Amino acid sequence: MPHSPMTELSTQFLSRLKSHAATVEGELERLLSSTPFADEIARPERLLSAMRHGVLNGGKRLRPFLVMETAALLGGNPTAALRVAAALECIHCYSLVHDDLPAMDNDDLRRGQPTVHIAYDDATAILAGDSLLTLAFDTVAAPQTALPDAQKVALVLALSRAAGLGGMAGGQALDLAAEVTAPDEAGIRTLQSMKTGALIRFACEAGAMIADAPQHRHTLRRYGETIGLAFQLADDLLDVTADSATMGKATGKDAARGKGTLVSLHGEAWARQTLETLVNDACALLEPFAGKADMLKQTAYFVAERRN
Ligand code: GRG
């Protein structure tokens, strides 16, 4: 990427990504402990174990990183950001657990390990996903999330819109329909912006919401949309070029199913050129924050260049 503002990831970025992931995993451990929360009756052992399998199993923790970094950029409360970050990861993990089910993508491997329905069973995987989705909203709304109620309601609303009918779940429905009738380019872009883009966009907007900085919400939303596009394009490229051992999941599935992607429409060279443009666009959006946004600029590059 010769025109990109950076040609390699700094060790500071990589260690920050790792340390945020560890912090989020600590919070997820607490959320998924065997002790019931107030007003819960009991936590069934097998269901809890399946949820833990679906969540505490590696993963880049990119979405939590974006929540924490965008909040930090604007001086948001880091503890509240951590709670929202963990909530978002619960929704991401639920989507992976359900996506892997036989009725959807029918995958045996995720993050290099057996998928939840393989390690447990289909019904338990469905319930694990359901419970993770609910746990996300519990986490934002709970008293431990130290934000004014109005901010929590706004976050719950934005998260609902990103995850539901008009966001990720709707995008998954369009994706399933695309296996029957191939969408045109506009259709592919819409389904991808919903299925993958919506949660990434929320992750970035959430920082402005946590920091109560509405004047920056639009910029971070556009940054999120831009890196969301880059994330999906990189994913489509990896589906063609990477092996399943590196990815920790099956690859080559889009082509095997004849599923149209922007890479199959325009080719790998176009995809790589577009990725470079998207990274530059994302970094340009962050220019007003100057050096304070270096981590987020590097994130754009990381998303485009990722190997798994
Ligand atoms: C079942 C409602 C429902 C939605 C499923 C997210 C999703 C929608 C399906 C996953 C299929 C897929 C491979 C989508 C491409 C992009 C994507 C979400 C990849 C996985 O995200 P990463 O790379 O995964 O951030 P890790 O494991 O690092 O968290």
Side-chain angles (χ1 to χ4, degrees):
M1 290 196 178
H3 305 300
S4 174
M6 60 214 71
T7 48
E8 62 182 46
L9 293 165
S10 69
T11 48
Q12 195 202 354
F13 171 82
L14 293 170
S15 75
R16 207 160 156 114
L17 184 64
K18 210 167 150 189
S19 83
H20 280 12
T23 309
V24 170
E25 276 155 27
E27 190 64 26
L28 290 166
E29 267 288 351
R30 280 187 286 281
L31 294 171
L32 294 169
S33 87
S34 55
T35 310
F37 292 164
D39 294 327
E40 285 184 345
I41 296 159
R43 295 194 147 197
E45 204 180 308
R46 184 175 166 82
L47 177 57
L48 177 64
S49 170
M51 290 166 75
R52 292 176 61 87
H53 183 96
V55 173
L56 300 167
N57 59 351
K60 295 180 286 297
R61 313 301 188 191
L62 170 69
R63 294 153 194 81
F65 183 80
L66 287 166
V67 175
M68 292 159 83
E69 284 298 329
T70 51
L73 175 72
L74 302 173
N77 175 338
T79 318
L82 175 59
R83 299 275 301 177
V84 176
L88 181 57
E89 186 68 7
C90 285
I91 293 191
H92 171 58
C93 294
Y94 125 71
S95 81
L96 300 180
V97 172
H98 279 191
D99 182 66
D100 290 333
L101 283 164
M104 299 219 200
D105 238 22
N106 194 18
D107 276 311
D108 293 353
L109 198 64
R110 170 71 63 186
R111 294 173 170 170
Q113 291 177 45
T115 47
V116 175
H117 69 276
I118 295 290
Y120 294 82
D121 54 77
D122 290 4
T124 305
I126 291 168
L127 290 171
D130 293 345
S131 305
L132 285 169
L133 175 60
T134 314
L135 181 60
F137 298 109
D138 180 322
T139 303
V140 177
Q144 292 88 334
T145 303
L147 288 174
D149 285 350
Q151 268 165 269
K152 290 190 200 180
V153 170
L155 282 159
V156 165
L157 180 62
L159 190 50
S160 306
R161 299 273 163 95
L165 173 65
M168 180 185 69
Q172 179 77 346
L174 294 178
D175 197 51
L176 294 171
E179 288 181 22
V180 182
T181 309
D184 60 12
E185 175 162 355
I188 294 173
R189 285 182 184 271
T190 300
L191 95 75
Q192 293 189 339
S193 70
M194 293 169 72
K195 184 179 114 168
T196 325
L199 286 197
I200 293 176
R201 188 192 72 199
F202 169 82
C204 301
E205 269 188 292
M209 299 174 78
I210 292 160
D212 199 17
Q215 69 279 22
H216 295 302
R217 187 166 166 180
H218 181 66
T219 299
L220 289 179
R221 182 187 174 97
R222 285 181 57 211
Y223 164 79
E225 286 168 349
T226 308
I227 65 165
L229 263 172
F231 182 94
Q232 183 62 57
L233 203 49
D235 208 71
D236 292 343
L237 261 180
L238 288 168
D239 193 64
V240 178
T241 57
D243 59 274
S244 71
T246 312
M247 292 294 281
K249 64 175 186 180
T251 55
K253 294 194 77 166
D254 293 341
R257 291 178 179 184
K259 201 187 266 183
T261 66
L262 295 182
V263 175
S264 67
L265 278 184
H266 296 294
E268 291 179 35
W270 173 89
R272 289 185 208 289
Q273 179 63 49
T274 305
L275 275 175
E276 184 178 329
T277 305
L278 289 169
V279 173
N280 287 332
D281 289 352
C283 292
L285 284 165
L286 298 173
E287 271 321 311
F289 301 108
K292 279 174 75 185
D294 277 353
M295 286 298 120
L296 291 172
K297 289 180 185 168
Q298 296 231 355
T299 310
Y301 183 75
F302 170 77
V303 159
E305 284 291 293
R306 69 200 173 90
R307 296 275 173 264
N308 68 17

